[in-house]
Amino acid sequence: MKKYILKRLLMMVLTLFIVATLTFFLMKMIPGSPLGNTMKLTKAQQLAVEKQYGLNKPVWQQYLAYMGGVLHGNFGMSYQYNSTSVASLIGHRVGPSVLISFQALVLGVVVGIVLGCVGALNKGTWADAASSTLAVIGISFPSFILAILLQYYLGFKLGWFPVANWNGFPSTILPTVALSAVPMAQVSRFVRTEMVEVLNSDYILLAKAKGLSVAQVVFHHALKNSIIPALTLIGPLAVTLITGSMVVENIFSVPGIGELFINSVLSNDYPVIMGLTMFYCLLLCGILLLTDVVYGLVDPRILSKEKGEH
Amino acid sequence: MNLKMNKKVVTLATVALAAMSLAACGNSGKNKASGDLNVTLKANPVTLDPSKTIETPSSSMQVQSFEGLLKFDKNNKVVLGEAASEPKVTNDGKTWTFTLKKGLKWSNGDPVTAQDYVASMRHWADPKTKSQAADKVSNLQNYDAVSKGQAPTSELGVKALGKNKVEFDFAKKQPTANVRNNFAANLKPVDHKVLAKEGNKYGSSSNKAVYNGPYKVVNWTGGSDDNWSYVKNDNYWNKKGVHMNKVNVQVTKDNNTAQNLFKSGKVQETSVTADYVKGNKNNKELHTALMATQYYLYFNGKNELTKNENFRQAVNYAFDNDQLAKKVLQDGSVGATGWVPKGDMKDPKTGKDFATDAGHLQKQNKQKAQQYWKAAQKDLGKKQMTLNLLADNTDDQKAVAEYLQSTLQKQFKGLKVEVTTLPHAQHVSRDFAGKFELNLTDWNSSVPDASDFLSLLKTGNKVNFTNNTDQKLDDLLNKANDGSQFASERYDLLQQANKQVHANADGVPLYTAAQAHLVSKHVTGLNYGPFNITAQYQYAQWKK
């Protein structure tokens, strides 16, 4: 297991290096200047500012200088936010994004498991149909539409929750609910399908024959095996939530990182583009590794297979 | 089992409802008419350092918290700020000396001195500052050498004559309008002690700056912060004129959210987009105001068709600008009547608006358009022609581009117009590279002076994307800006330059853009105008 994790960590470093290199050169191919006031600066003034940022050097030299900085933990200073380091910009904004994504994931997974169980245990009844309908709505309904509806009815009309603004736990509820629809729907579908299969297996029949109550059968035997496939979903879902929550963040004025990324691309803020790309890449690799490890721990068959291979 | 499961579902629902009730907070602010003023801002400000400021959100924050020698009052007029009187002009118009009011103080208690203005100018020109707003101070003596690092900042043409007098030495003789409106009304001082302490971090958060304006900025942690406040500055020289004690700002990027916050009374001022204006024209809380932003259609002077004078004249007579503003945009923008937008400059003698004075120079005339189009076809020996129109990829610019495309194709048989829309930064790079045939672009001015718009077509101006040159226009503008003219003579020269621009037809003025805000009916004193793009909260009051 240790060897496996070490190998995966080395692969992570290699992936980060490749992603950073590709992003750096692709980014330099975007037309336009990173300076925001090229219209009003004279050519000489523009050249003077570019020189200060080292933008007058050949691209390969800029690349070496940047990578040298990264190795020393220096991700550079934002061009747009002239006196602010990329690390502090990301550091300030990552918290809210991670918080609402984490809450949405927990809420989505818990409700998804409940709905999946309800559907499987009541297969073919109205409860199954209702849980399926909810899942279809959750998957097909864009989260930003849900966000706008929640904001309008629960925030503006009824006044139960803050309309927007980032100010304590109440302000996180509506964005969390809006973002939880997709994980809820996906997890509920997975759990339902798996549980229907598990409930028909021999060991469940044996458990029932032993006289265990339905609750004991479900919670001690069926549920554990039914949620294993759903675990594989959680990693990618977490990353999708963190990176894809931009519109919902905007709607509820959550000071997150999504919008920072879009703005940095539109304004050619190279150090921020690089910093955020590497951050997203690290996050994805980290979560995928974590999911694989957890998956192995929950289902020891996978672990023994890995041991056999390595 | 089903019963047990149902019990769980009911429990869950109860917990959820309880959480919702706990989190509930009523619309207590709906009829707010006292206390703090709450407002929104569309984007995050970047800095509190004036020398690094090139975008509206930062300017908005600074207009509340800093004051220069001169300033724009709430009616868009340049008036005395920290200067005690109008400047003294010597050395044949090259040296301008301002005297400061007595007893001025920074928010930390330090006195505001001439040295603070000197420090600000030097910081601005210092290459280490990486200022992208250098256009504001580049007329000062030795600016070029200092900004390239070839001379120390002490060589810059600014010095303190004692504590209360600051002298600016310009490289060339300056017209009064340039020094008052472009230079003194835009520059802000820095507390030289705080700047020395903070260095390049000056202004990167609210506690890395001190303030000499109506408000202190509080709790702004930097460019990524979405909430902060303006708290009345007790050391401001005119603190009696400031009515609101505290203004809370929330960055709200989504338009629907901003409207919902306003409608629920959580904020009393917010900006709205054209879509909202279209559907809410009768809303008494909606205020639209023209900006000093004019949109033009440029012709590329290096393209065979667009450099043809008959073609340019034909297009100049093709559009109905009023229809474009009222039917297509519907956001309060007005159709341009000439190259210089309305509200930009006033006749120093009569006070009449420059654009109104110039008359309706930009008019649709379909008959003349046809005559010129036929002449252009003859000149070029072609009946069928295709042109590309370059525009920003925003909704309003796409709509304008489509209007231009359909009008041109309808009026000129044989002409096909293709539209290319790009993100703004990429559009600008095509402007500079000259990669366009027709170009829908704009110019935003921070100076109430027609020369800023007219110089767009001057030879050597790097934003003269038409690449056309005209000696007569250059001569008129050079003469108007050499500082030798009295204000009224200069005004006449600029009017002549305006006529020349229209005669050349190197571009077509289309419309003057507007901005729209929702302001609570309980609030008065918030004014918007071409040079007050963001309201100055020092003038805001609760209605009694």
Side-chain angles (χ1 to χ4, degrees):
Chain A
M1 184 72 175
K2 270 183 197 163
K3 206 175 158 192
Y4 170 69
I5 294 177
L6 193 71
K7 194 182 164 192
R8 287 288 299 265
L9 284 174
L10 284 173
M11 287 296 286
M12 246 168 91
V13 174
L14 184 67
T15 311
L16 266 178
F17 172 74
I18 294 170
V19 167
T21 307
L22 278 176
T23 310
F24 191 92
F25 289 102
L26 283 173
M27 178 181 82
K28 290 283 174 184
M29 286 160 73
I30 306 174
S33 163
L35 307 185
N37 201 24
T38 45
M39 287 281 207
K40 293 193 177 176
L41 291 175
T42 63
K43 193 85 191 155
Q45 287 164 352
Q46 194 176 327
L47 287 175
V49 180
E50 283 172 358
K51 195 179 162 196
Q52 286 296 320
Y53 281 116
L55 290 165
N56 56 338
K57 291 180 186 153
V59 174
W60 66 269
Q61 280 187 24
Q62 293 180 38
Y63 170 73
L64 290 182
Y66 180 79
M67 293 307 261
V70 169
L71 285 178
H72 292 91
N74 176 10
F75 290 84
M77 305 289 274
S78 159
Y79 297 157
Q80 211 187 342
Y81 300 95
N82 180 315
S83 311
T84 315
S85 72
V86 172
S88 97
L89 265 180
I90 297 177
H92 267 109
R93 290 195 161 254
V94 73
S97 287
V98 169
L99 179 67
I100 56 166
S101 304
F102 177 71
Q103 287 186 177
L105 191 66
V106 172
L107 182 69
V109 169
V110 171
V111 178
I113 290 174
V114 172
L115 281 178
C117 289
V118 170
L121 291 170
N122 302 287
K123 197 180 153 200
T125 67
W126 66 268
D128 187 22
S131 94
S132 298
T133 310
L134 265 178
V136 170
I137 292 173
I139 287 182
S140 51
F141 213 60
S143 58
F144 65 90
I145 301 274
L146 185 61
I148 291 171
L149 292 175
L150 287 170
Q151 183 187 57
Y152 187 74
Y153 288 104
L154 300 187
F156 174 59
K157 282 277 178 193
L158 296 171
W160 288 358
F161 300 97
V163 170
N165 297 356
W166 188 248
N167 189 14
F169 177 69
S171 64
T172 68
I173 295 176
L174 293 185
T176 299
V177 174
L179 284 174
S180 68
V182 170
M184 180 272 287
Q186 291 198 353
V187 169
S188 97
R189 289 288 74 200
F190 256 70
V191 169
R192 183 196 172 277
T193 314
E194 277 303 308
M195 194 170 256
V196 165
E197 209 171 291
V198 169
L199 287 175
N200 285 330
S201 57
D202 293 346
Y203 70 92
I204 296 291
L205 194 65
L206 177 68
K208 282 180 184 169
K210 275 161 67 184
L212 295 179
S213 71
V214 179
Q216 277 175 315
V217 171
V218 170
F219 290 108
H220 291 168
H221 299 282
L223 194 57
K224 196 177 167 191
N225 283 325
S226 305
I227 59 171
I228 289 175
L231 275 181
T232 54
L233 276 180
I234 293 176
L237 270 175
V239 177
T240 314
L241 282 175
I242 294 172
T243 56
S245 57
M246 194 204 100
V247 183
V248 173
E249 281 177 8
N250 253 0
I251 290 170
F252 293 106
S253 297
V254 176
I257 44 176
E259 210 239 351
L260 185 67
F261 196 30
I262 303 287
N263 272 349
S264 66
V265 174
L266 288 177
S267 60
N268 289 2
D269 195 344
Y270 302 140
V272 179
I273 300 177
M274 286 302 295
L276 277 170
T277 309
M278 287 166 75
F279 172 75
Y280 283 149
C281 179
L282 188 69
L283 198 71
L284 182 66
C285 291
I287 290 179
L288 287 180
L289 173 62
L290 199 69
T291 314
D292 285 355
V293 172
V294 172
Y295 198 52
L297 292 174
V298 175
D299 187 351
R301 286 173 296 178
I302 293 162
L303 204 63
S304 59
K305 210 173 162 192
E306 291 291 347
K307 271 181 190 166
E309 272 180 17
H310 304 286
Chain B
M1 155 62 213
N2 276 345
L3 193 66
K4 277 188 182 174
M5 214 53 201
N6 285 343
K7 270 185 185 169
K8 280 179 202 294
V9 172
V10 171
T11 314
L12 265 176
T14 315
V15 170
L17 269 176
M20 282 158 104
S21 317
L22 273 176
C25 47
N27 286 335
S28 56
K30 218 162 209 170
N31 290 308
K32 188 173 162 71
S34 61
D36 295 358
L37 181 72
N38 298 317
V39 301
T40 68
L41 198 62
K42 194 105 192 81
N44 294 94
V46 169
T47 181
L48 269 164
D49 183 344
S51 72
K52 292 175 181 169
T53 300
I54 55 168
E55 28 66 69
T56 310
S58 296
S59 303
S60 162
M61 196 156 66
Q62 290 164 27
V63 82
Q64 323 301 343
S65 54
F66 292 109
E67 187 164 298
L69 294 162
L70 304 180
K71 63 174 182 179
F72 288 98
D73 72 1
K74 67 173 171 181
N75 299 317
N76 267 302
K77 210 175 149 198
V78 176
V79 295
L80 296 178
E82 289 204 318
S85 55
E86 288 294 333
K88 201 172 122 195
V89 189
T90 52
N91 189 19
D92 194 26
K94 285 188 197 163
T95 301
W96 294 65
T97 310
F98 286 85
T99 306
L100 296 177
K101 286 186 169 79
K102 282 184 182 154
L104 296 170
K105 274 185 190 168
W106 290 97
S107 53
N108 63 351
D110 286 349
V112 179
T113 63
Q115 188 55 41
D116 294 331
Y117 280 89
V118 174
S120 174
M121 298 293 96
R122 288 179 180 171
H123 174 59
W124 212 304
D126 189 341
K128 286 182 201 140
T129 305
K130 303 179 197 132
S131 168
Q132 290 191 50
D135 53 306
K136 298 276 192 303
V137 295
S138 54
N139 287 338
L140 288 172
Q141 183 83 39
N142 294 333
Y143 169 81
D144 284 343
V146 172
S147 67
K148 284 177 192 159
Q150 293 160 354
T153 55
S154 56
E155 299 273 311
L156 191 68
V158 55
K159 53 179 175 256
L161 307 174
K163 281 195 168 172
N164 286 324
K165 278 196 172 132
V166 56
E167 181 188 285
F168 298 102
D169 293 304
F170 294 96
K172 284 194 299 190
K173 192 174 184 176
Q174 296 293 311
T176 308
N178 197 21
V179 178
R180 286 188 91 249
N181 304 341
N182 192 13
F183 184 74
N186 279 313
L187 69 90
K188 308 279 191 287
V190 291
D191 183 332
H192 67 278
K193 290 180 200 159
V194 178
L195 178 66
K197 188 180 149 214
E198 301 295 346
N200 221 8
K201 289 265 167 197
Y202 175 81
S204 59
S205 65
S206 56
N207 55 14
K208 291 196 186 301
V210 289
Y211 311 95
N212 68 334
Y215 291 101
K216 294 182 282 186
V217 182
V218 176
N219 291 332
W220 182 68
T221 57
S224 53
D225 201 347
D226 280 1
N227 293 284
W228 65 93
S229 299
Y230 303 123
V231 174
K232 191 170 172 177
N233 180 3
D234 286 332
N235 289 340
Y236 179 52
W237 66 271
N238 189 25
K239 66 177 177 187
K240 282 184 190 159
V242 182
H243 304 284
M244 293 285 177
N245 286 327
K246 194 177 177 195
V247 182
N248 303 311
V249 191
Q250 163 69 45
V251 174
T252 308
K253 290 158 189 165
D254 185 76
N255 297 316
N256 282 323
T257 304
Q259 286 157 29
N260 284 338
L261 284 169
F262 182 83
K263 282 190 244 165
S264 62
K266 301 285 182 211
V267 300
Q268 289 76 48
E269 187 227 16
T270 189
S271 59
V272 284
T273 55
D275 284 338
Y276 183 87
V277 179
K278 279 177 203 168
N280 294 273
K281 281 184 182 147
N282 297 324
N283 183 347
K284 284 185 181 159
E285 291 181 312
L286 177 69
H287 300 257
T288 57
L290 290 180
M291 298 191 286
T293 304
Q294 182 98 313
Y295 279 81
Y296 301 97
L297 181 70
Y298 276 8
F299 302 107
N300 190 335
K302 287 185 176 164
N303 175 277
E304 191 202 0
L305 173 55
T306 51
K307 78 176 178 191
N308 180 281
E309 195 179 341
N310 282 320
F311 175 76
R312 299 201 313 264
Q313 293 289 3
V315 177
N316 255 281
Y317 284 112
F319 307 118
D320 180 347
N321 287 350
D322 272 344
Q323 193 190 24
L324 169 65
K326 285 180 187 154
K327 302 271 188 230
V328 180
L329 288 157
Q330 300 184 53
D331 60 354
S333 299
V334 299
T337 55
W339 193 264
V340 178
K342 277 189 178 146
D344 180 60
M345 186 185 189
K346 287 190 167 45
D347 183 335
K349 251 200 270 177
T350 62
K352 207 172 170 188
D353 181 66
F354 185 96
T356 313
D357 212 4
H360 203 150
L361 299 174
Q362 193 64 38
K363 263 187 192 161
Q364 188 186 42
N365 186 328
K366 289 183 181 171
Q367 212 179 349
K368 277 192 180 175
Q370 284 307 319
Q371 285 167 6
Y372 279 117
W373 169 241
K374 279 180 186 141
Q377 281 179 314
K378 206 174 159 193
D379 287 350
L380 297 158
K382 284 181 190 170
K383 290 278 173 201
Q384 306 289 324
M385 283 168 255
T386 302
L387 276 179
N388 190 279
L389 166 61
L390 183 66
D392 272 5
N393 67 349
T394 56
D395 288 346
D396 60 333
Q397 291 307 287
K398 280 183 196 162
V400 174
E402 280 162 16
Y403 166 80
L404 302 179
Q405 179 190 37
S406 68
T407 307
L408 290 174
Q409 292 186 159
K410 211 159 104 189
Q411 291 200 22
F412 306 134
K413 274 194 182 144
L415 179 67
K416 193 179 167 205
V417 178
E418 289 162 352
V419 175
T420 300
T421 58
L422 291 174
H424 184 69
Q426 292 176 31
H427 182 174
V428 171
S429 76
R430 292 268 293 259
D431 289 344
F432 282 113
K435 286 184 184 168
F436 66 87
E437 289 166 342
L438 295 171
N439 189 357
L440 174 59
T441 185
D442 73 302
W443 184 252
N444 169 256
S445 176
S446 54
V447 198
D449 194 307
S451 167
D452 199 35
F453 285 98
L454 296 167
S455 297
L456 290 173
L457 297 172
K458 199 170 172 245
T459 309
N461 186 344
K462 73 168 198 169
V463 290
N464 179 1
F465 301 128
T466 69
N467 282 310
N468 285 332
T469 55
D470 175 36
Q471 194 57 48
K472 193 175 170 194
L473 176 67
D474 293 349
D475 291 346
L476 284 166
L477 288 169
N478 285 338
K479 201 171 170 194
N481 290 327
D482 69 3
S484 66
Q485 311 293 319
F486 287 114
S488 58
E489 287 169 359
R490 183 172 179 274
Y491 179 84
D492 292 341
L493 282 169
L494 291 175
Q495 281 289 6
Q496 286 175 44
N498 189 36
K499 282 197 184 107
Q500 188 62 23
V501 162
H502 280 273
N504 291 343
D506 290 331
V508 188
L510 296 169
Y511 67 96
T512 311
Q515 57 170 344
H517 290 86
L518 284 170
V519 179
S520 162
K521 59 185 178 199
H522 299 295
V523 176
T524 177
L526 289 181
N527 277 6
Y528 307 88
F531 306 101
N532 281 332
I533 294 179
T534 53
Q536 297 191 54
Y537 299 122
Q538 61 169 311
Y539 300 120
Q541 288 186 60
W542 293 110
K543 259 185 203 163
K544 284 170 188 157

